[in-house]
Amino acid sequence: ADYNPMSFTQQSPGLFLIAVSLILPLALAAAEKSGNNEKFEEALKFWPAFVNSISMIIATEIGDKTFFIAAVLSMRSDRLAVFSGAILALICMTVLSTLMGLVLPSLMPRKYTHIMSGFLFLYFGVKLVYESFNMEHKVSDELEEVEEELCLNSKKQDVESLVEKQQVNGDVNVPAQLNASDPIDMWVTVFVKSLSLTFLAEWGDRSQIATIALSSSKDPYGVTIGGCIGHAMCTGMACLGGRYLASKISEKTVSLCGGITFCIFGLHAFIFGE
């Protein structure tokens, strides 16, 4: 049979992510079990949450809709504005999700929230692995959806700006004025657009639900900091790599790696406990 080589960018990140997600949480949890120093044990509560959170974000966000939004916007607009708006929205969502996770233990014992988070991770993991077997090695359909959505929004905004300037100035030569817009206004417009689109796309996403589940049973500071760093890494790659990086991501590989990572978190919750 002919060998159909996959791109190295599609395989190696997934294998590396699986290795990191498997080895580091287990090693840290084992060290936590054997720790005798109270300060050392307190510090170890942070690191498992940090590693789990950053691994979970990388596994769920690469190839996600928010990733494609940053990738497509960065091709057409200022990358710093796109990154600033997207990361601000993701940080706000991470903090909000962590706070929601902190409320759960007050509604029911922490032991049960820990078990629920384990079941939730296993459910998402098995679901993603199962879905990956029915997929082909192709670019995610969400990339085309995001491009179409942004294209329609851009055309609508251009028309609205054109009509507004015609009404105010009574000048027919509006396109030239649009091209000569204030750079600061354009930067703010891109920033707000990136922030709003990312926040709406992230609401109810797998990463938000996983963050809520993780913060209900892990150290909230570790979950928050790890989540923010993970989002910054994924969004930074999207803004720098742009359309090329997005076009090289296999939906099957992303789903499989994400599913395996979620299953590891679920099994870790039941094997090592809180």
Side-chain angles (χ1 to χ4, degrees):
D2 294 335
Y3 175 65
N4 185 17
M6 286 180 57
S7 173
F8 179 76
T9 57
Q10 293 178 358
Q11 289 186 351
S12 58
L15 297 176
F16 174 76
L17 180 60
I18 293 173
V20 170
S21 302
L22 178 62
I23 296 172
L24 286 181
L26 298 179
L28 290 170
E32 183 179 2
K33 290 287 185 179
S34 61
N36 295 320
N37 187 283
E38 293 184 0
K39 292 183 178 180
F40 184 64
E41 290 180 354
E42 283 293 325
L44 282 179
K45 290 181 180 179
F46 171 87
W47 291 109
F50 176 84
V51 173
N52 286 351
S53 181
I54 195 172
S55 302
M56 177 265 298
I57 293 298
I58 293 175
T60 56
E61 285 300 310
I62 293 182
D64 196 23
K65 190 171 184 179
T66 54
F67 182 91
F68 290 137
I69 288 175
V72 175
L73 281 178
S74 63
M75 292 189 300
R76 308 173 180 177
S77 308
D78 185 88
R79 291 178 178 177
L80 180 59
V82 174
F83 178 82
S84 301
I87 196 60
L88 179 59
L90 293 170
I91 289 175
C92 292
M93 186 63 71
T94 302
V95 173
L96 180 62
S97 301
T98 302
L99 292 176
M100 293 173 65
L102 288 175
V103 174
L104 291 179
S106 64
L107 301 178
M108 63 179 66
R110 193 175 188 87
K111 176 182 178 180
Y112 297 116
T113 60
H114 187 79
I115 295 175
M116 288 178 58
S117 66
F119 276 117
L120 192 61
F121 280 123
L122 284 176
Y123 168 75
F124 277 116
V126 173
K127 184 173 182 291
L128 286 172
V129 172
Y130 175 78
E131 290 177 350
S132 68
F133 289 133
N134 298 323
M135 296 177 181
E136 298 179 356
H137 285 292
K138 63 177 184 178
V139 180
S140 175
D141 294 334
E142 288 188 354
L143 176 59
E144 297 179 1
E145 295 177 4
V146 169
E147 287 183 327
E148 292 177 0
E149 181 180 348
L150 292 178
C151 183
L152 292 175
N153 290 337
S154 179
K155 290 181 179 179
K156 183 179 179 181
Q157 289 178 355
D158 289 344
V159 172
E160 291 177 351
S161 300
L162 182 64
V163 173
E164 181 181 354
K165 286 185 177 290
Q166 284 179 336
Q167 292 176 348
V168 173
N169 301 326
D171 192 352
V172 180
N173 189 23
V174 177
Q177 295 181 358
L178 286 175
N179 292 332
S181 299
D182 186 1
I184 297 179
D185 291 340
M186 294 178 62
W187 196 95
V188 173
T189 301
V190 174
F191 173 84
V192 173
K193 185 177 184 179
S194 177
L195 188 149
S196 57
L197 287 175
T198 303
F199 189 87
L200 293 176
E202 186 68 13
W203 186 263
D205 193 48
R206 286 194 307 266
S207 59
Q208 186 196 20
I209 299 174
T211 301
I212 295 174
L214 200 61
S215 61
S216 66
S217 58
K218 297 289 185 180
D219 182 78
Y221 297 105
V223 173
T224 302
I225 296 175
C228 292
I229 293 177
H231 280 303
M233 292 171 62
C234 295
T235 306
M237 286 191 294
C239 292
L240 293 176
R243 181 63 166 76
Y244 175 79
L245 183 60
S247 65
K248 295 298 180 181
I249 295 175
S250 169
E251 185 177 12
K252 181 182 180 71
T253 303
V254 170
S255 297
L256 181 60
C257 294
I260 293 175
T261 304
F262 272 45
C263 288
I264 291 172
F265 290 161
L267 293 174
H268 174 270
F270 289 111
I271 295 174
F272 292 97
E274 297 186 43

